Structure formats: structure tokens, C-alpha cells
């Protein structure tokens, strides 16, 4: 008998890759979707649709009933002001927890996709441990951290939980890094002046594989990334190499980045850029302690940056995105 998964955020970037992987592994997939969602992929793999959103606790309860694992991926990443983030990421996760705990046949495991933004940047260049006091810089990070707290509360009621903190996720279908690909295609590579930030990255297919393994891995909070610290210059170089361009590096003074963020905030967060996002950009390192990674991404299975960027660029080109 196949295992049953309920996925929130199944029609999103990471969610779509998780749906394919679970269906390919023989899972029966249920997806919490809005009535207006694009469900072509779900229909393609024979997924069951549960109509509702993160406010629909009854729909979540129905979808969770008899499921083996609930994968909570749905989150708001772009908004103006704090309130929308609180409703989607904090209260939405509480609703998911309430629905899971209220199911007649309670799921065995809840897997929550969190973010490096929840714990904040590295301190003094040292990877941040999962047991350190978090210092999120943005409304998104603060509300993802509140979501983590809601999941941990569920553990007190006997629910097994795995929290996966992801760094920037990239790959086929990604729209977050797409504008930077387009800039590099036009031979421009803006970045904060100075040595530039160091960051972990994770290829979307690797993250989807880690999420599936999290259904059976030890409960806890884990950072999931390619186990390599990448200077931003290396990311730019990989994108340029994949697109066959030689971009002009455009150093942005920190004062200019902060000033632009402040002005954008005064104007309502133009392009969702504000002072918080500016500080996020200027953080010298986004690195987390990857202890326990082997259970989620076994050694040698993480996609190297250059390969992942090349595959992403190829997908963008094939679909006319760059």
C-alpha cells in the first residue's frame, strides 16, 4: 500500500519538484490548493486535490486524515508590510498544525520547510548552529521562525516533526534568481562593494530529495544545503559561464544599498525592497551548521553549483525566460 502525503504549497516552485519526486517514488499525493490554482502538474501525476488555503483548517484536517506525512511548504515570501507575512507564515503554520493534530487518523510526521532567514546570518563569519538564538533580519524571517515555534509546540502533543532550514533555492522554474540571470545576460553584475557575501545554496531537486528523506529521518531542526561556502563572485561566475557572457561587475556601496532600501520603504516597499532587505543583502555570510546533513543529503549527492546553475540556465533558455 502506498504512503500518503499531504502537501501545502504543491503548486509552487519547490512544491512542484516535491510532487514529482513523491509521485515517482509511489506515494499517493494530496495537495491543498486554492480553487484558482494551476493544477496541471497535479493532474499529470494523479494527485488528489483538497480545495482550501492556509486559513481553511477543516480542509487541512480532511487532507491530513490518514496521511503518513504532511509537508508544509506554503509560505509568503514577498509582501508589503509585516501583517501579510504574519497571517501566511505564522498563523498559517498554526492552522496547519491545528489541522494535523485534529485529524481523526493523525499523520505520523510533519515536515516543515523553513529558511536560513529564520535564524539570521552567520555571526563573525562562523556558521550559525540550530541551537543558537536566532536573529532574523526581515519580516519573512521572523514569521518563518514563528512557524518553527508552532511546529515545535505540536511535538509536545506527540507529533514527530522535522524542520528543514534552506538557504537560497535555485533551479528550473525559479523566479527569485531569474532577474539576476537576466542582468548577467545583459552583461551587468551588480553586487555590494567589498569582498562580497558568502552563502550556502541548494539546488531545488536536492531540496526535494531532502524533504522526502525527512519523512523518515530523525526528528529535529536541520540546515540543508550543498556543503560548500560560495562567495557571491562564484555564483556570478557560474551564471556568466552558463550564459556565455562576461558581465561588468558593478560594486554597490553599502550606504547606497541602505539608502535605496530606506527610500523604497518610505514609498511602500517598491519592488518589495526595503531597509530590511538591504541589510539582508549586506550581511557578510549566510551560513548554517550542516550537522546531520548526511541523513537528508548523503555525501556526494548534492548538485555542485556550476552544474546546478548550468541546468537552470538551460531550462530558462528552453522556456524563453532569458
Amino acid at each position: 500500500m502506498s504512503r500518503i502525503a499531504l502537501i501545502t504549497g504543491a503548486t509552487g516552485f519547490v512544491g512542484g519538484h516535491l510532487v514529482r519526486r513523491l509521485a515517482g517514488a509511489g506515494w499517493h499525493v494530496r495537495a491543498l490548493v486554492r480553487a484558482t490554482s494551476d493544477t496541471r502538474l497535479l493532474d499529470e501525476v494523479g494527485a488528489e486535490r483538497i480545495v482550501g488555503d492556509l486559513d481553511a483548517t477543516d480542509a487541512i484536517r480532511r487532507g491530513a486524515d490518514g496521511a503518513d506525512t504532511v509537508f508544509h511548504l506554503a509560505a509568503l515570501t514577498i509582501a508589503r508590510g509585516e501583517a501579510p507575512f504574519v497571517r501566511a507564515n505564522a498563523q498559517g503554520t498554526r492552522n496547519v498544525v491545528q489541522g494535523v493534530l485534529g485529524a481523526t487518523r493523525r499523520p505520523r510526521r510533519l515536515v516543515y520547510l523553513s529558511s536560513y532567514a529564520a535564524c539570521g546570518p552567520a555571526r563573525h563569519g562562523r556558521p550559525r548552529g540550530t541551537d543558537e538564538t536566532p536573529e532574523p533580519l526581515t519580516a519573512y524571517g521572523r514569521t518563518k521562525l514563528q512557524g518553527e515555534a508552532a511546529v515545535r509546540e505540536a511535538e509536545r502533543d506527540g507529533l514527530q516533526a522535522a524542520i528543514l532550514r534552506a538557504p537560497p533555492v535555485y533551479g528550473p522554474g525559479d523566479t527569485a534568481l531569474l532577474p539576476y540571470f537576466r542582468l548577467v545576460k545583459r552583461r551587468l553584475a551588480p553586487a555590494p562593494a567589498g569582498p562580497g557575501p558568502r552563502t550556502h545554496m541548494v539546488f531545488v531537486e536536492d531540496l526535494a530529495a531532502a524533504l522526502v528523506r525527512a519523512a523518515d529521518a530523525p526528528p529535529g531542526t536541520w540546515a540543508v544545503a550543498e556543503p560548500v561556502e560560495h562567495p557571491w563572485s562564484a555564483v556570478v561566475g557560474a551564471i556568466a559561464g552558463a550564459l556565455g557572457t562576461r558581465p561588468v561587475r558593478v560594486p554597490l556601496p553599502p550606504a547606497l544599498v541602505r539608502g535605496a532600501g530606506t527610500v523604497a520603504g518610505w514609498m511602500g516597499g517598491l519592488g518589495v525592497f526595503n531597509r530590511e532587505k538591504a541589510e539582508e543583502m549586506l550581511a557578510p555570510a549566510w551560513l548554517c551548521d550542516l550537522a546531520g546533513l548526511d541523513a537528508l543529503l548523503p555525501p556526494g549527492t548534492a548538485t555542485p553549483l556550476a552544474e546546478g546553475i548550468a541546468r537552470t540556465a538551460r531550462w530558462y533558455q528552453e522556456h524563453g525566460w532569458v
Side-chain angles (χ1 to χ4, degrees):
M1 183 175 179
S2 65
R3 299 169 73 177
I4 298 173
L6 171 66
I7 306 176
T8 73
T11 59
F13 168 49
V14 177
H17 287 270
L18 178 60
V19 165
R20 291 187 184 92
R21 186 166 290 269
L22 286 171
W27 288 63
H28 174 75
V29 175
R30 295 174 182 166
L32 182 73
V33 295
R34 294 186 178 90
T36 56
S37 296
D38 182 348
T39 60
R40 285 175 293 180
L41 172 61
L42 302 179
D43 297 338
E44 178 185 319
V45 301
E48 178 184 352
R49 284 180 275 171
I50 308 294
V51 178
D53 57 23
L54 294 181
D55 292 325
T57 306
D58 288 342
I60 296 168
R61 185 182 300 114
R62 290 197 307 273
D65 185 31
D68 175 87
T69 304
V70 173
F71 296 90
H72 178 34
L73 278 58
L76 186 66
T77 59
I78 297 174
R80 292 183 176 181
E82 189 118 358
F85 288 108
V86 172
R87 179 177 179 180
N89 301 342
Q91 186 57 50
T93 301
R94 295 187 195 105
N95 293 342
V96 169
V97 167
Q98 181 181 345
V100 169
L101 294 178
T104 302
R105 295 168 294 168
R106 182 185 291 186
R108 178 185 60 87
R109 173 67 62 94
L110 172 62
V111 177
Y112 174 58
L113 179 59
S114 188
S115 168
Y116 276 30
C119 57
R123 297 185 65 189
H124 311 298
R126 180 178 55 82
R128 184 179 286 273
T130 56
D131 58 344
E132 292 185 41
T133 301
E135 297 176 305
L137 300 179
T138 62
Y140 171 69
R142 290 189 292 273
T143 54
K144 289 299 286 183
L145 185 62
Q146 292 167 25
E148 289 187 11
V151 172
R152 291 196 184 96
E153 289 175 8
E155 291 183 297
R156 301 191 187 103
D157 290 316
L159 181 68
Q160 294 182 16
I163 297 172
L164 274 60
R165 289 176 175 168
V169 185
Y170 69 99
D174 173 38
T175 57
L177 201 54
L178 174 62
Y180 206 85
F181 272 78
R182 289 173 171 168
L183 282 172
V184 173
K185 181 71 172 178
R186 293 172 174 80
R187 295 181 171 79
L188 291 174
R198 292 176 295 127
T199 185
H200 283 151
M201 303 279 285
V202 67
F203 189 57
V204 66
E205 292 179 11
D206 296 344
L207 180 56
L211 286 162
V212 175
R213 293 189 185 101
D216 299 306
T221 300
W222 318 103
V224 179
E226 179 196 359
V228 178
E229 298 180 8
H230 295 291
W232 185 249
S233 59
V235 179
V236 174
I239 296 173
L243 295 176
T245 63
R246 297 182 64 183
V248 176
R249 308 290 175 116
V250 182
L252 305 175
L256 176 62
V257 176
R258 290 190 174 98
T262 299
V263 172
W266 290 341
M267 302 179 71
L270 296 178
V272 301
F273 183 63
N274 55 27
R275 181 58 182 266
E276 287 187 342
K277 294 299 291 184
E279 294 300 334
E280 192 174 68
M281 285 177 57
L282 294 171
W286 285 92
L287 307 169
C288 283
D289 183 353
L290 297 176
L293 179 65
D294 290 357
L296 302 173
L297 275 181
T301 63
T303 302
L305 178 70
E307 177 186 338
I309 290 290
R311 290 170 62 182
T312 303
R314 187 161 54 248
W315 190 94
Y316 286 157
Q317 291 167 332
E318 290 172 352
H319 289 77
W321 287 23
V322 294

